[in-house]
Amino acid sequence: MAVVFIYLFAIQDNSPIVYYTEQNQGAPDGLVHFEIAPNDDLTNKFNSIVRSSSNQKNTSSSSKTPEVSPLTFEEGMQILQHSIYKDCLGEDSQLVSNKPQRLVISAFSGARGINYFTLTLEKNNQVRIHAEIGSLEGGPRDQFNAGSHIPEYQTVTRTGSY
């Protein structure tokens, strides 16, 4: 039997993301389950397409915004390690998406699935962190399956020296 891959190209929280599944039969819950695509080339090309499309829209804009250095994966990890989410990170944290104003980092949390952290640069050197903590059911937590009382959002000041 041939393996079939299904890819889903999406914009999630204003960031491009590529999901995939190898599922070829119905799951017991009747749903199709997607994971973040491990193919970096595919993800990078999709990011490039979305970025070039967004740059074409922005070239006609006359408003000027001050230049702010983009978030890097290393800085994002340092911010997370000093946040309320530090205990939700694993050694295998990965960069999912990187845009100048937004960074998405994933961290595998064992049986609980994958945690996703979206770091967004805001005004006055503020970084807003949005946490999607995995659940035992394999999806994002909600009020019924939240194992901890970790807030979904935290805003911190970007200091550049962690």
Side-chain angles (χ1 to χ4, degrees):
M1 175 180 261
V3 176
V4 176
F5 292 94
I6 299 172
Y7 289 90
L8 176 65
F9 297 84
I11 306 293
Q12 181 178 339
D13 295 325
N14 294 322
S15 295
I17 190 163
V18 180
Y19 292 101
Y20 86 104
T21 185
E22 296 179 46
Q23 184 178 328
N24 62 2
Q25 298 289 325
D29 61 6
L31 301 175
V32 177
H33 298 272
F34 285 86
E35 299 176 28
I36 293 179
N39 186 333
D40 289 335
D41 289 338
L42 184 63
T43 302
N44 290 337
K45 287 181 182 175
F46 182 55
N47 285 336
S48 174
I49 290 168
V50 171
R51 202 173 321 122
S52 69
S53 173
S54 121
N55 285 342
Q56 288 174 358
K57 291 177 187 174
N58 291 338
T59 55
S60 62
S61 174
S62 61
S63 64
K64 300 266 182 178
T65 57
E67 287 295 318
V68 177
S69 61
L71 283 171
T72 64
F73 175 72
E74 292 77 18
E75 182 183 11
M77 286 300 297
Q78 289 176 348
I79 289 170
L80 288 172
Q81 288 165 352
H82 290 87
S83 74
I84 58 176
Y85 309 112
K86 64 184 172 219
D87 294 331
C88 301
L89 297 171
E91 293 179 17
D92 60 344
S93 298
Q94 298 179 35
L95 178 64
V96 174
S97 173
N98 187 3
K99 297 184 111 185
Q101 303 298 320
R102 179 167 295 178
L103 186 70
V104 180
I105 295 174
S106 69
F108 183 67
S109 61
R112 293 200 171 272
I114 301 174
N115 299 331
Y116 292 96
F117 303 96
T118 303
L119 290 78
T120 305
L121 282 175
E122 297 186 337
K123 295 179 182 177
N124 301 324
N125 256 352
Q126 297 292 302
V127 177
R128 182 178 172 108
I129 305 169
H130 174 233
E132 292 180 46
I133 306 299
S135 72
L136 290 173
E137 290 78 20
R141 72 175 182 164
D142 57 26
Q143 71 261 20
F144 302 109
N145 65 19
S148 62
H149 300 287
I150 299 172
E152 187 175 356
Y153 293 95
Q154 180 184 17
T155 301
V156 298
T157 302
R158 183 183 191 193
T159 65
S161 59
Y162 286 97

